[in-house]
Amino acid sequence: MKLASFTYQGNRSYGIVNAEGVVDLGRRLGDRYSDLKALLQGDGLTQARLFANEPADLNMEAITFLPVIEHPEKILCVGMNYAEKRKEFDQHNPAPTLFVRFPDSQTGHNSPVLKPRSSNEFDYEGELAVIIGKGGENITRDDALNHVAGYSCYMDGSARDWQHTWFTAGKNWRQTGAFGPWMATADEIPDPHQLAIRTWLNGRMVQEDNTSSMIHKVAELIEYISTFTRLSPGDVIITGSPGGVGKKRNPPLFMHEGDRIEVEIEHIGHLSNVIMEAPAQPLTAAH
């Protein structure tokens, strides 16, 4: 299944994406599971699958996509996890590089990504996102993929001129990370390390690799992270970006208002967003 979070006529919901549109699970299961995170927390994927062959309730054009998981308890991001990226940044530390994102730094498919007003180096990074379905701590590598609910695309927008010794300040400006369009459930992705991953800026391919090039694989990351924090259903692990980022190009290539940034991952989906200059006052959240 492919599961999306969205708004329709001002109401938040979630549903199954098919060729015709979206089967509205919020209408069917909302009294038990208020959103997609609650569905995962309640082990509700089996109930959701009962509606997989229902006709679509909504056309795709009628909905506004939200981040796949709108309010994860944790968003854990992995840096320097592809060989080419490590070469670009001259990184040699063998341990996973980790940082965090906050939920309000996310936006959904087809919604604006906000370029921070205080940054002149707003960079793109296309990444595979892992959504946790079964919580736990001290998860073994052999069991780790059994804790995954599904996978999605992520555009980890980075204000490079705010990344100093640590990444947090460069990664948490409002609506700088795009997450979607939907989550492909884990049964559709038997091996998360056999997926082509590509990023386009204004139609120009700027990143191209395969998730097989990850240095720290998904199972290893889950094992490592769950040793120091308990993972919960709905938590998100963003697994790192291939090489080709704008900061290391000559000349550098950064995102500006009006640019379109797209991330596509094989068998998962195609995430697309337009860059907008962040307003002087915060935008009102979608309802």
Side-chain angles (χ1 to χ4, degrees):
M1 289 186 299
K2 291 182 170 61
L3 297 169
S5 300
F6 60 89
T7 62
Y8 174 70
Q9 294 184 343
N11 297 310
R12 278 172 161 73
S13 192
Y14 60 99
I16 301 170
V17 176
N18 61 30
E20 285 71 48
V22 180
V23 179
D24 189 347
L25 290 178
R27 202 173 80 184
R28 294 166 170 81
L29 298 174
D31 57 336
R32 279 172 280 175
Y33 311 113
S34 58
D35 58 15
L36 191 47
K37 184 172 85 169
L39 183 83
L40 299 180
Q41 290 172 330
D43 198 21
L45 284 179
T46 300
Q47 292 174 64
R49 285 194 177 93
L50 297 176
F51 304 101
N53 295 319
E54 294 275 312
D57 301 301
L58 304 168
N59 293 326
M60 211 80 78
E61 296 75 22
I63 67 172
T64 299
F65 284 93
L66 295 168
V68 176
I69 306 294
E70 194 175 6
H71 299 292
E73 288 182 17
K74 302 180 189 74
I75 306 170
L76 297 135
C77 309
V78 184
M80 309 301 162
N81 201 25
Y82 284 75
E84 288 302 312
K85 178 79 171 293
R86 289 173 70 87
K87 287 180 188 175
E88 287 177 347
F89 285 83
D90 194 27
Q91 288 290 320
H92 305 283
N93 190 332
T97 299
L98 297 179
F99 57 94
V100 296
R101 264 191 177 273
F102 308 139
D104 67 353
S105 73
Q106 304 188 121
T107 194
H109 172 62
N110 279 339
S111 290
V113 164
L114 300 183
K115 176 195 166 296
R117 285 178 169 267
S118 298
S119 176
N120 295 313
E121 297 185 355
F122 189 41
D123 207 346
Y124 52 83
E125 297 194 63
E127 311 198 15
L128 173 70
V130 178
I131 298 101
I132 298 296
K134 178 180 153 188
E137 54 190 329
N138 297 313
I139 299 166
T140 65
R141 197 171 308 193
D142 289 345
D143 189 43
L145 294 187
N146 293 325
H147 289 255
V148 175
Y151 302 90
S152 188
C153 305
Y154 211 99
M155 198 294 293
D156 184 26
S158 306
R160 297 290 186 200
D161 40 0
W162 281 78
Q163 287 182 200
H164 307 300
T165 305
W166 193 234
F167 297 125
T168 301
K171 297 287 190 175
N172 281 289
W173 300 80
R174 193 165 183 269
Q175 284 185 225
T176 53
F179 184 15
W182 43 69
M183 174 185 88
T185 52
D187 58 295
E188 292 195 358
I189 311 293
D191 184 352
H193 298 292
Q194 295 296 325
L195 305 172
I197 179 170
R198 302 181 180 92
T199 306
W200 289 267
L201 181 60
N202 297 326
R204 170 189 174 186
M205 189 183 295
V206 289
Q207 293 182 294
E208 182 178 21
D209 209 323
N210 191 286
T211 55
S212 62
S213 299
M214 278 186 201
I215 294 165
H216 303 290
K217 308 301 188 189
V218 171
E220 179 188 348
L221 292 170
I222 291 171
E223 179 184 64
Y224 181 80
I225 290 167
S226 70
T227 61
F228 67 82
T229 187
R230 181 175 180 83
L231 289 170
S232 301
D235 285 353
V236 180
I237 300 172
I238 307 169
T239 56
S241 164
V245 296
K247 174 73 173 178
K248 295 300 180 179
R249 290 177 176 267
N250 188 16
L253 179 65
F254 295 118
M255 298 187 292
H256 303 280
E257 185 166 32
D259 288 346
R260 179 171 292 278
I261 187 70
E262 300 168 86
V263 178
E264 183 179 72
I265 303 179
E266 186 179 14
H267 304 309
I268 295 177
H270 190 112
L271 172 66
S272 181
N273 300 83
V274 171
I275 307 302
M276 177 188 292
E277 186 83 12
Q281 297 295 324
L283 291 176
T284 302
H287 291 290

